[in-house]
Amino acid sequence: MKLPRFITMNLLRKAYLPGLILALLTVISCKETDSEVRLEASAKSDVAYGADALQRMDYYLPAQRSTADTKVMVLIHGGAWSSGDKSEFKAYLDTMKKRFPDYALFNINYRLASTAGNGFPVQENDVKAALDFIDKRRSLYSISDKFVLLGASAGGHLALLQAYKYSTPLRVKAVINFFGPSDMAAMYSNPPSSVNPLLIAALVGGTPQSNAAAYFQSSPINFVLAESPPTLTLQGGRDNLVSPSQQVALHARLQSKGVANEYVLYPDENHGWLGANLSKSFDRIGVFLNTHVK
């Protein structure tokens, strides 16, 4: 029996419509996937993560990045918490891009203690605010939740503090500490030759005797737990600003908690180094991250 034409057309529509929708969805999906694959490298300077002029960051996002695979490295400069700038890392960014091509790099500033009212924990709070800002924009930046913190000197201290003290907005996967203090009470009571303990007192707000709570809260060593992230420390044996004893104590604590850790001492280096030892430091960082950040 021959069906009327309008019935035939309706049946054809019903038969082919699901297939047509599926085909269209497949095309759209392919276009989205192709768009992700074609993402180009992107960089931007002085992105505001807060209202203050120093609450700024630069970022570099690699090509072909994705929310599944692209890891994140947040760089935190030093300067005794009262000076310094994110520009200190600019000389190393090309090297870091080549050595860590699957990482997005975020280089942050924070409010400095040299400005009235910016004593501790302002710097700690700014690091957390910067991480919150980046985390909320992971989809926008096409980056994953695999965050690594790298800091030098005061920046190393801030990286350790964030990594050990906070599990929100996410738990840091690893921390790289270039000669950052881990125990602020020890920094005050047993300062290296070039450190005036009054500067520590001004930063923290009193002495360990007058403000014990502030010294406890500002010392990363007090927040080491079994679930703390893997930690690599690089330290100069002749450092006259941060004593190697700070790192010995920290890594003993990490070891006692069963946290993956590595302490690398360069016996003849001071508070920072260049040349062959810096290249070796980057080598150690690369091996450490490849081992612990998947």
Side-chain angles (χ1 to χ4, degrees):
M1 180 177 69
K2 188 175 180 180
L3 295 172
R5 179 177 175 79
F6 77 91
I7 296 177
T8 304
M9 293 302 294
N10 283 337
L11 289 173
L12 286 172
R13 288 190 189 102
K14 290 179 180 179
Y16 284 106
L17 188 57
L20 179 61
I21 292 172
L22 179 61
L24 287 172
L25 289 174
T26 302
V27 170
I28 292 169
S29 176
C30 288
K31 286 184 177 179
E32 288 176 348
T33 302
D34 290 344
S35 176
E36 283 193 354
V37 169
R38 289 198 301 268
L39 281 175
E40 296 180 353
S42 174
K44 193 170 182 179
S45 298
D46 291 325
V47 176
Y49 68 88
D52 191 271
L54 281 175
Q55 292 174 314
R56 299 290 184 270
M57 65 172 69
D58 305 337
Y59 67 67
Y60 165 76
L61 308 176
Q64 299 186 5
R65 60 194 178 274
S66 74
T67 54
D69 300 319
T70 302
K71 302 162 190 172
V72 177
M73 185 180 293
V74 179
L75 310 176
I76 310 173
H77 71 79
W81 304 277
S82 60
S83 64
D85 186 82
K86 55 186 168 64
S87 60
E88 295 170 13
F89 277 118
K90 283 187 176 179
Y92 309 108
L93 288 180
D94 285 342
T95 296
M96 297 179 83
K97 291 174 189 177
K98 292 174 184 176
R99 284 182 174 266
F100 313 115
D102 53 346
Y103 277 83
L105 304 175
F106 290 81
N107 187 14
I108 72 170
N109 267 347
Y110 48 86
R111 287 171 290 174
L112 301 173
S114 53
T115 301
N118 281 355
F120 224 74
V122 164
Q123 297 72 38
E124 173 187 343
N125 294 340
D126 279 1
V127 172
K128 189 175 187 303
L131 262 66
D132 286 339
F133 180 91
I134 299 167
D135 178 66
K136 289 176 181 176
R137 289 159 179 77
R138 284 194 284 116
S139 295
L140 175 65
Y141 295 145
S142 293
I143 56 176
S144 76
D145 62 352
K146 301 168 186 174
F147 279 47
V148 171
L149 305 184
L150 184 153
S153 192
H157 163 263
L158 294 172
L160 293 170
L161 199 60
Q162 173 69 34
Y164 298 161
K165 199 171 181 179
Y166 299 101
S167 58
T168 58
L170 44 73
R171 188 172 293 281
V172 171
K173 304 302 181 187
V175 57
I176 310 300
N177 167 35
F178 275 94
F179 40 83
S182 63
D183 186 334
M184 298 302 285
M187 280 287 289
Y188 178 90
S189 301
N190 301 293
S193 58
S194 298
V195 174
N196 184 339
L198 294 179
L199 297 177
I200 304 298
L203 171 73
V204 180
T207 69
Q209 291 73 37
S210 67
N211 199 351
Y215 278 83
F216 184 92
Q217 288 294 325
S218 61
S219 296
I221 196 169
N222 295 326
F223 297 94
V224 174
L225 301 170
E227 57 267 29
S228 294
T231 302
L232 169 63
T233 291
L234 304 117
Q235 172 73 39
R238 297 183 178 179
D239 195 325
N240 62 349
L241 293 176
V242 178
S243 170
S245 63
Q246 290 272 324
Q247 318 306 349
V248 172
L250 172 64
H251 283 267
R253 182 68 57 85
L254 290 164
Q255 198 70 23
S256 72
K257 298 292 185 179
V259 178
N261 70 95
E262 186 176 349
Y263 172 39
V264 183
L265 181 69
Y266 298 95
D268 296 324
E269 297 290 1
N270 202 310
H271 197 68
W273 48 88
L274 299 170
N277 278 340
L278 182 59
S279 181
K280 290 177 182 177
S281 297
F282 279 121
D283 290 342
R284 299 296 285 266
I285 293 169
V287 172
F288 191 83
L289 294 181
N290 287 338
T291 300
H292 297 290
V293 185
K294 304 296 186 182

